[in-house]
Amino acid sequence: MYYQRKRFLFYSVLAGLFTILLLFVFFGLDSSGYRLWGSSSIPAMIPHQVNAQIIESPSQAPVEVYNSALDKPAPILEIKPDLPLLEEPKLPTASTVTLDTYVPAPVLAAIPSAASEIKGAVQSTAKPTPLPSKISIPVLNYHSVTIDPGNVVVISPAKLEEQLTYLHDHGYTPVSLATFISLIEGKSDEAAPKKPVLLTFDDGYIDNYEQAMPLLAKYAFQATLFISPDMNDQEGYLNWEQIKKLQEAGWDIQPHGMTHPHLPQLSSDQQAYEILEARKQIEEKLGTKADVYCYPYGEYNKTTLKLLKDHGFRYAFTIDQGFATNQQSPYLLKRLFINGEEGLKSFIRKLSTYD
């Protein structure tokens, strides 16, 4: 009897230990993802390896359909590193630039609507400086007066007389250089001629004395002669005695450089000599003021313009085409080139085209 109780107690303890062992096994398998067949809550010995097909429905999102009643395998979580935090963008500060920053006040005032259309634009109260009433005078640019077919800078005496006759018959008044300056500056005390015109002759060719002077005297016309003193007495050019007689006939004599140089190719000192020495010799020889310049070849640069201004020249003529006006720079007055090969109709057209 005693041995039977001990045996019963031994088997009871052994059964308990076996039960505890089975419980540990079941709990371990469940945590590993295994389940028993036909059970939804007890771990099994077969892993979920089931292929799935995706069937798309036209009215809803894709639906996953599995070939087995087994649950869909648990998704694998992918751990990604945290993304860096983005800094909050800084908004630009309001611009302090206005239309007035770039456009001068007088110009801006002339277009007030432009400023009002820009938020925050400063509208100027300054009034624009009005341009003076335009005064336009044709300045005719002649050179040599002789017979030289094909040379556009040479006009025949016959053609010159034809042009002078046209000017006379159509009410044009060739004026002196002093009158021209008074008219262009609007300071003339006398009644301005209805159709003023300035006749200019460049270089100082001897035919200006032999051919042009008698023709202008016939109509009592005045003219301005631009000379290069270093070329005087050379073949084909005037001498000082002839120049004095032209002056006595009402011609104004002004500088055209000492040697008729290409001024932009010279240094500042060389340009100064060409400009100032020519003026000096004319004033000493003729006792007249020589403060109106004519650019040889029509060429100049910033140095030329500065020299003229610094040394008190009043005006300078170019070969740029057009009427001379009071709205041009005093050192960039325009002229009308007289092509000796053109006829009277072209001459008449020049007088009207640029007016």
Side-chain angles (χ1 to χ4, degrees):
M1 186 69 176
Y2 174 76
Y3 289 105
Q4 290 179 349
R5 289 181 179 179
K6 290 181 69 174
R7 184 179 299 174
F8 175 80
L9 181 61
F10 172 78
Y11 285 113
S12 296
V13 172
L14 184 62
L17 291 175
F18 184 75
T19 300
I20 292 172
L21 179 61
L22 287 177
L23 290 175
F24 274 114
V25 171
F26 281 119
F27 281 118
L29 292 175
D30 183 68
S31 63
S32 302
Y34 292 89
R35 294 186 181 182
L36 292 175
W37 290 100
S39 174
S40 60
S41 59
I42 301 177
M45 298 300 294
I46 301 176
H48 287 203
Q49 297 179 357
V50 182
N51 294 326
Q53 296 177 349
I54 298 177
I55 302 176
E56 294 189 7
S57 171
S59 61
Q60 60 184 20
V63 177
E64 294 181 346
V65 179
Y66 288 81
N67 295 330
S68 170
L70 298 178
D71 294 336
K72 177 182 176 181
I76 300 174
L77 297 178
E78 181 180 357
I79 300 176
K80 297 181 179 180
D82 293 337
L83 295 176
L85 295 177
L86 296 177
E87 295 184 2
E88 183 179 354
K90 296 182 179 179
L91 296 177
T93 57
S95 174
T96 58
V97 178
T98 66
L99 185 62
D100 199 37
T101 305
Y102 296 103
V103 183
V107 178
L108 180 63
I111 47 172
S113 60
S116 62
E117 291 175 359
I118 298 180
K119 185 177 180 180
V122 179
Q123 297 188 39
S124 174
T125 57
K127 294 183 178 180
T129 303
L131 292 173
S133 299
K134 188 175 182 180
I135 300 173
S136 300
I137 301 176
V139 180
L140 307 185
N141 177 204
Y142 294 96
H143 290 80
S144 178
V145 183
T146 188
I147 304 296
D148 189 7
N151 191 338
V152 297
V153 299
V154 175
I155 187 171
S156 68
K159 280 190 176 181
L160 176 60
E161 184 169 13
E162 184 180 34
Q163 293 177 3
L164 297 177
T165 300
Y166 177 85
L167 294 175
H168 177 270
D169 294 347
H170 289 80
Y172 287 91
T173 303
V175 297
S176 67
L177 188 58
T179 300
F180 168 84
I181 292 173
S182 296
L183 292 173
I184 209 77
E185 294 179 352
K187 298 178 180 179
S188 179
D189 295 330
E190 301 178 359
K194 187 176 180 180
K195 294 182 178 181
V197 60
L198 181 66
L199 309 181
T200 65
F201 290 80
D202 290 4
D203 303 337
Y205 297 103
I206 193 171
D207 50 52
N208 293 172
Y209 171 78
E210 297 172 342
Q211 302 292 339
M213 187 178 73
L215 292 174
L216 269 67
K218 179 179 178 179
Y219 297 98
F221 285 172
Q222 298 173 297
T224 297
L225 176 67
F226 293 105
I227 65 169
S228 298
D230 201 44
M231 300 175 71
N232 293 352
D233 295 320
Q234 294 185 23
E235 184 178 358
Y237 290 89
L238 296 164
N239 58 40
W240 282 111
E241 188 63 31
Q242 293 165 333
I243 293 172
K244 289 179 180 179
K245 290 184 178 180
L246 284 166
Q247 183 187 32
E248 293 171 358
W251 289 48
D252 293 296
I253 315 300
Q254 296 294 320
H256 197 36
M258 272 300 293
T259 63
H260 200 275
H262 293 279
L263 290 173
Q265 299 178 11
L266 305 181
S267 67
S268 178
D269 289 342
Q270 290 172 326
Q271 286 198 47
Y273 170 78
E274 287 284 345
I275 294 169
L276 300 179
E277 184 63 22
R279 178 174 71 176
K280 176 184 176 183
Q281 290 197 20
I282 291 171
E283 291 181 345
E284 289 179 350
K285 294 284 187 179
L286 304 177
T288 186
K289 192 73 173 176
D291 56 0
V292 176
Y293 196 75
C294 178
Y295 303 108
Y297 306 104
E299 298 174 350
Y300 57 88
N301 57 17
K302 291 181 180 179
T303 299
T304 317
L305 300 177
K306 187 175 187 303
L307 285 170
L308 293 176
K309 182 178 179 180
D310 291 347
H311 292 280
F313 279 82
R314 297 179 67 183
Y315 289 95
F317 286 97
T318 68
I319 57 173
D320 295 336
Q321 298 303 291
F323 280 25
T325 78
N326 59 334
Q327 295 179 357
Q328 295 166 4
S329 163
Y331 302 117
L332 298 174
L333 295 181
K334 296 181 179 181
R335 295 189 291 174
L336 298 173
F337 173 70
I338 303 302
N339 185 334
E341 293 294 296
E342 295 177 344
L344 184 61
K345 288 184 178 179
S346 178
F347 175 78
I348 296 171
R349 194 179 305 115
K350 289 179 188 293
L351 290 172
S352 59
T353 300
Y354 297 94
D355 195 1

